[in-house]
């Protein structure tokens, strides 16, 4: 059974953290959810204020260029999945994890194709230029 948390409950949790000095552990225990959700809401609020918490209903379709920008940021900065999701106002770190996994899978396929092509090339052409 998945517990559904409303935007209002999320906002109340963030307010409890900032104004009532309630810990993420206490809030998570009260809401009966994992603490990483509370930490994500707090970061979303830090970066995007109330717009990070109160979101339009429905599915968000992200452009490939945006996904690439997010993954580049993740790799270049070493930020966590949670930090990256918050910075780019993505409601779940799992979305970022999925994009990274897809990107790594595609990158692996490209490297495999380059290796395969290099093996079939004549020996007098240096293959390093393609890597």
């Amino acid at each position: 059974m998945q517990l559904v948390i409303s935007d209002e409950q999320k906002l109340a949790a963030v307010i409890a953290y900032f104004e009532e000095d309630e810990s993420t552990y206490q809030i998570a225990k009260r809401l009966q959810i994992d603490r990483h959700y509370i930490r994500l809401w707090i970061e979303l609020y830090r970066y995007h204020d109330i717009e990070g918490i109160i979101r339009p209903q429905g599915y968000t379709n992200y452009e490939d260029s945006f996904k690439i920008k997010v993954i580049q940021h993740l790799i270049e900065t070493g930020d966590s999945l949670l930090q990256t999701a918050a910075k780019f106002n993505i409601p779940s770190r799992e979305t970022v994890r999925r994009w990274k996994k897809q990107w790594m899978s595609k990158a692996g396929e490209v490297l495999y194709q380059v290796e395969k092509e290099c093996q079939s090339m004549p020996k007098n052409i240096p293959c390093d230029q393609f890597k």
Side-chain angles (χ1 to χ4, degrees):
M1 183 174 105
Q2 183 177 351
L3 184 66
V4 177
I5 306 291
S6 70
D7 289 344
E8 290 75 19
Q9 289 173 303
K10 293 174 188 178
L11 187 57
V14 170
I15 290 170
Y17 176 81
F18 284 113
E19 295 180 7
E20 299 167 20
D21 292 326
E22 196 173 350
S23 72
T24 58
Y25 177 78
Q26 292 168 320
I27 298 166
K29 187 173 180 182
R30 179 169 41 84
L31 294 176
Q32 299 179 337
I33 59 173
D34 192 290
R35 246 178 49 180
H36 84 266
Y37 292 110
I38 310 301
R39 292 193 315 257
L40 177 60
W41 302 337
I42 290 166
E43 291 302 310
L44 284 167
Y45 185 81
R46 280 187 178 139
Y47 284 104
H48 306 285
D49 201 37
I50 198 167
E51 289 81 21
I53 303 295
I54 306 294
R55 308 182 68 80
Q57 297 299 315
Y59 179 77
T60 303
N61 188 17
Y62 298 98
E63 298 288 330
D64 287 342
S65 59
F66 177 76
K67 294 177 184 179
I68 291 168
K69 183 178 175 181
V70 170
I71 298 307
Q72 284 176 330
H73 173 85
L74 179 70
I75 292 168
E76 290 171 4
T77 64
D79 281 353
S80 69
L81 294 170
L82 186 140
Q83 291 168 321
T84 302
K87 284 182 183 174
F88 288 92
N89 203 10
I90 300 167
S92 171
R93 69 182 183 172
E94 295 305 316
T95 301
V96 178
R97 182 191 318 272
R98 187 176 65 252
W99 293 350
K100 181 181 178 190
K101 184 177 178 182
Q102 289 169 346
W103 185 84
M104 297 299 278
S105 173
K106 288 179 183 173
E109 289 174 21
V110 169
L111 289 175
Y112 174 75
Q113 287 300 327
V114 168
E115 286 294 323
K116 195 172 170 182
E117 288 172 15
C118 284
Q119 290 172 358
S120 66
M121 292 178 73
K123 298 291 181 202
N124 61 347
I125 299 175
C127 194
D128 318 6
Q129 66 189 7
F130 299 107
K131 292 184 182 178

